[in-house]
Amino acid sequence: MPPLARRNLFHDKIRLTVTLTGIVFAVVLIVVELGLFVGFTSTTSGLIDHSNVDLWVTSKHVPYIELGAPFSERKLYQVKSVPGVQEAQKFITHWTQWQRPDGRQESVQIVGINPDSTLGRPWNLVQGRVEDLKTPNAIVVDELYKEKLGVTRIGEVFEVNHRRARVVGFTNGIRAFTTSPYIFTSFKNAQDYAAMPADQTVYVQVKVAPGADVQQVQRQILERVKDVDVVTNHQFSRMTQVYWMFTTGAGVAVLLAAALGMVVGFVVVAQTIYATTMDHLKEFGTLKAMGAPNRYIYKVILTQAALSAVMGYVLGMFVSAFVVRASQSGGAAILMPWQMAIGMFFITLLMCMGAAIVSINKVTRLDPAMVFKG
Amino acid sequence: MTKIHQEPAISVRNLTKTYTEGAAGVPALRGVDLDVCAGELMLLMGPSGSGKTTLLSIMGCILTATSGSVRIGGREVTTLNEKELPAVRLAQIGFVFQGFNLFPTLTAGENVELMLDLKGIRPNDAKIRSQALLDQVGLGDKYRSFPSNLSGGQKQRVAIARALAGDPQIILADEPTAALDSHTGRNVMELMRKLAHERGRAVVIVTHDPRMVEFADRITHIADGLIGQAADSPTSPAMFVQEGQQGSAVNLA
């Protein structure tokens, strides 16, 4: 086929620029919004996904990790006695107050762990060691929240719920979905910061013995321990994600913005491809008069749309990669897993091909007799 | 010269076309009978609004008649639907337009290749044939020139080469010299006459230009949707072709 589609597309540089700008805008908007969705979703369940836990024992009807209710520590020992349980640890999350050096209060989430265990530990430690949490009043905070919390270096002392807290380490990139940063500390410290009775815990984390069936252990814990729920790590992760992303409406808003990006892109691309088609309407009429079947003309228009999509996608992903990279140091992570990058290509292609339908509809109804009308 | 009688390439019988304008019908053709044979160059002349372009469009299978019969190469086309008509146009008819209707973003050679592509010719073969066709219309050195860099006469020659690329038996031209100066217009008409006489094509040309009469084998006048007088040109071998020359490669330049 002579390069009619390509030549028509590149003939008007200004129109091509407008078309590509529209596609790039749509691609970046969709990537940012979907990336925010993925970033938010993974942030909501970050504590669970990095916990190395198989099963979570919670009080009844806990919808997400931040809303655990305390129960008796005796249940920890009941859980430990269940066959197939290799390890069980107490775990606390609790909202409380952080006082900055300037006296301003900030809300934080205390995360209480056993520093000797591999379960629930902070990850991405860039300064200090998890074992340092065994010292009195020791805490680990994330570098992302240094400014928010007024922290500058290891060794600084603050007040958490009117109790002493000393920074012994920093993590990097452990975001909280809410505005309250995670503060990792030992379980004992966490009980103090949360003002919880000494014989209570909020969760029991379970590591199942190698070879043991997780679902079977889950059932057995439910049979032996009363008034608790037992969920797998995956279930708890999904529950937490669904709560924050859909029950609160936060995720729906982000997804709607992504859909809006697609609509905007569709309209811009449809308008420019339609304008290009109108510019070349006489040529399409000539093609029809020459005996070209409609599918030949569709091929020209769809090729233009596909070429626009490929160029717009490449440019859009280049800009998106820059935005994603820049977001890593910000409070809201924009993630672009490779599946999304590939999926975006098909979304872009679909958007441009769909936009071409308006033009195809126009050309389908084109009367070839127009060629004799001067 | 051996003269052979041909079955009409186009045969029109009792053709009518009525355009609807609101509730009323406006008749454009009112019972037209006409035959055009291979090897014949026929001028279709008449005042504006007489129906000549409507007749040309119906003969070109791009407009449907209200009633009557149109046979192209012996095949009745008025009964064909809109999906079948493009195939008839592609196989049987070449168009030459007043405004040339070249594709401005394609070179002269690519404009001709486009027609060959429609015919399903492979790209490499199409390039060779496109070059040969441009050679035949005297534009062999303009293969890579874009229409914007060609004169009016050159554009019309490219359009003729494109029309010939489909190897049609019928050439329909709408005011092909209207946008050209007198000298260039005569050259184009000479080329059209060669197409009829030396390649055996049936050529129908709609024109207002009385200077083109001398190139015609026959002149058909149309007025108010009716064929008026038809006369053979005294200088032309109307309705005949030279034996053995139909479809042969003839340098038309």
Side-chain angles (χ1 to χ4, degrees):
Chain A
M1 187 184 208
L4 186 60
R6 182 163 53 84
R7 294 279 177 77
N8 281 356
L9 192 63
F10 287 96
H11 182 67
D12 189 337
K13 302 282 191 299
I14 293 172
R15 178 155 291 148
L16 177 64
T17 304
V18 172
T19 305
L20 292 182
T21 303
I23 298 170
V24 168
F25 178 74
V27 167
V28 173
L29 194 57
I30 294 169
V31 166
V32 167
E33 295 300 339
L34 287 180
L36 275 173
F37 182 82
V38 174
F40 284 166
T41 303
S42 68
T43 299
T44 59
S45 59
L47 279 181
I48 304 166
D49 298 335
H50 290 87
S51 66
N52 191 32
V53 167
D54 291 323
L55 293 169
W56 291 77
V57 180
T58 76
S59 52
K60 295 293 263 184
H61 311 304
V62 171
Y64 60 100
I65 191 166
E66 285 85 357
L67 206 66
F71 55 83
S72 170
E73 195 177 292
R74 279 182 300 174
K75 295 185 191 299
L76 170 71
Y77 304 106
Q78 292 172 352
V79 170
K80 281 185 170 178
S81 68
V82 172
V85 172
Q86 182 186 46
E87 182 183 355
Q89 294 291 342
K90 295 178 287 183
F91 185 83
I92 285 177
T93 61
H94 186 84
W95 265 296
T96 188
Q97 292 296 309
W98 170 283
Q99 187 169 336
R100 287 164 47 102
D102 58 8
R104 215 170 75 198
Q105 298 282 321
E106 291 285 351
S107 172
V108 294
Q109 289 181 75
I110 290 296
V111 180
I113 63 159
N114 179 354
D116 288 325
S117 169
T118 59
L119 306 184
R121 291 158 67 102
W123 62 100
N124 290 350
L125 235 76
V126 290
Q127 279 189 65
R129 298 174 308 140
V130 177
E131 288 69 26
D132 295 339
L133 289 176
K134 287 191 278 188
T135 57
N137 309 317
I139 59 168
V140 167
V141 299
D142 195 275
E143 287 185 326
L144 287 170
Y145 301 102
K146 274 183 169 176
E147 191 177 335
K148 180 182 174 73
L149 300 176
V151 179
T152 57
R153 58 182 169 77
I154 284 179
E156 283 182 309
V157 175
F158 298 86
E159 275 190 20
V160 175
N161 200 18
H162 307 297
R163 292 171 188 273
R164 194 168 182 272
R166 185 169 51 87
V167 177
V168 298
F170 289 109
T171 57
N172 181 256
I174 301 183
R175 289 181 172 81
F177 181 66
T178 64
T179 54
S180 306
Y182 293 125
I183 305 296
F184 287 90
T185 187
S186 69
F187 184 82
K188 177 69 183 69
N189 280 339
Q191 280 183 317
D192 291 341
Y193 293 142
M196 265 177 56
D199 63 344
Q200 296 214 319
T201 182
V202 176
Y203 296 102
V204 172
Q205 298 174 317
V206 177
K207 189 73 183 169
V208 170
D213 181 69
V214 173
Q215 272 75 37
Q216 193 177 347
V217 175
Q218 182 183 20
R219 281 193 299 272
Q220 286 181 320
I221 295 173
L222 277 170
E223 285 168 9
R224 291 198 182 192
V225 185
K226 301 301 176 196
D227 300 323
V228 293
D229 284 337
V230 183
V231 290
T232 65
N233 204 57
H234 178 70
Q235 285 171 333
F236 202 29
S237 175
R238 290 288 298 158
M239 286 162 60
T240 301
Q241 288 174 356
V242 167
Y243 177 82
W244 283 114
M245 301 313 293
F246 295 107
T247 309
T248 66
V252 175
V254 175
L255 284 179
L256 275 177
L260 191 65
M262 194 164 171
V263 170
V264 169
F266 181 89
V267 170
V268 171
V269 177
Q271 198 278 330
T272 50
I273 289 179
Y274 184 74
T276 305
T277 304
M278 291 301 286
D279 275 357
H280 297 278
L281 209 55
K282 188 179 174 187
E283 293 163 36
F284 290 126
T286 303
L287 267 176
K288 278 193 151 187
M290 285 162 62
N294 277 337
R295 66 175 181 278
Y296 191 94
I297 299 168
Y298 299 163
K299 199 170 154 189
V300 172
I301 295 172
L302 289 174
T303 302
Q304 284 179 9
L307 285 172
S308 304
V310 171
M311 289 187 292
Y313 171 78
V314 171
L315 291 172
M317 291 310 276
F318 184 78
V319 176
S320 298
F322 179 78
V323 173
V324 167
R325 191 182 175 124
S327 77
Q328 300 311 307
S329 56
I334 300 170
L335 301 182
M336 185 167 58
W338 63 268
Q339 296 94 331
M340 191 205 290
I342 291 173
M344 266 314 296
F345 175 73
F346 292 104
I347 288 175
T348 310
L349 200 60
L350 191 70
M351 180 176 74
C352 292
M353 295 298 216
I357 288 172
V358 183
S359 298
I360 284 174
N361 185 44
K362 175 75 181 174
V363 171
T364 302
R365 291 185 283 109
L366 186 64
D367 182 2
M370 70 175 290
V371 293
F372 289 130
K373 290 172 185 166
Chain B
M1 178 188 289
T2 306
K3 296 180 178 179
I4 306 168
H5 284 280
Q6 298 285 302
E7 182 185 347
I10 307 173
S11 180
V12 175
R13 290 289 176 270
N14 199 26
L15 189 71
T16 70
K17 177 67 182 178
T18 302
Y19 294 105
T20 51
E21 199 171 276
V26 179
L29 298 175
R30 297 186 291 176
V32 170
D33 293 322
L34 184 68
D35 286 333
V36 187
C37 292
E40 177 184 22
L41 191 154
M42 189 195 85
L43 290 190
L44 191 56
M45 303 186 78
S48 294
S50 60
K52 54 186 187 301
T53 299
T54 298
L55 179 56
L56 194 76
S57 300
I58 293 174
M59 289 193 296
C61 298
I62 58 177
L63 190 66
T64 53
T66 304
S67 68
S69 163
V70 178
R71 299 180 76 82
I72 303 288
R75 183 186 185 189
E76 179 61 52
V77 295
T78 53
T79 55
L80 300 180
N81 62 37
E82 287 193 11
K83 286 186 178 173
E84 295 167 313
L85 288 172
V88 176
R89 292 200 291 271
L90 189 59
Q92 305 272 4
I93 301 164
F95 290 98
V96 178
F97 307 102
Q98 177 182 343
F100 321 124
N101 289 34
L102 295 179
F103 296 87
T105 59
L106 299 181
T107 66
E110 288 165 345
N111 265 280
V112 180
E113 280 174 44
L114 190 62
M115 188 70 201
L116 294 165
D117 184 55
L118 285 174
K119 298 281 282 186
I121 308 295
R122 287 184 303 182
N124 285 344
D125 294 339
K127 279 188 196 307
I128 295 166
R129 287 173 68 168
S130 167
Q131 182 65 63
L133 283 159
L134 287 176
D135 287 340
Q136 287 175 24
V137 296
L139 293 175
D141 59 336
K142 300 293 183 186
Y143 186 94
R144 295 183 191 284
S145 298
F146 285 93
S148 57
N149 297 325
L150 298 175
S151 68
Q154 289 172 327
K155 286 178 191 171
Q156 199 59 293
R157 282 169 175 265
V158 173
I160 290 168
R162 181 179 68 185
L164 288 175
D167 198 23
Q169 294 308 303
I170 298 161
I171 303 283
L172 301 179
D174 182 39
E175 304 273 10
T177 59
L180 306 176
D181 62 58
S182 175
H183 176 69
T184 311
R186 290 180 66 81
N187 285 343
V188 166
M189 286 303 291
E190 184 59 43
L191 184 57
M192 299 293 256
R193 183 159 66 178
K194 284 185 177 178
L195 284 176
H197 296 173
E198 297 179 12
R199 301 193 61 174
R201 307 300 197 252
V203 179
V204 179
I205 298 175
V206 164
T207 185
H208 281 102
D209 191 345
R211 292 171 299 178
M212 302 307 154
V213 167
E214 65 176 281
F215 296 95
D217 300 321
R218 184 156 57 106
I219 301 157
T220 298
H221 289 278
I222 185 168
D224 297 328
L226 288 168
I227 295 291
Q229 59 193 62
D232 286 354
S233 165
T235 61
S236 64
M239 303 173 75
F240 302 101
V241 291
Q242 282 182 275
E243 186 179 37
Q245 287 216 340
Q246 190 167 357
S248 63
V250 176
N251 192 331
L252 299 167

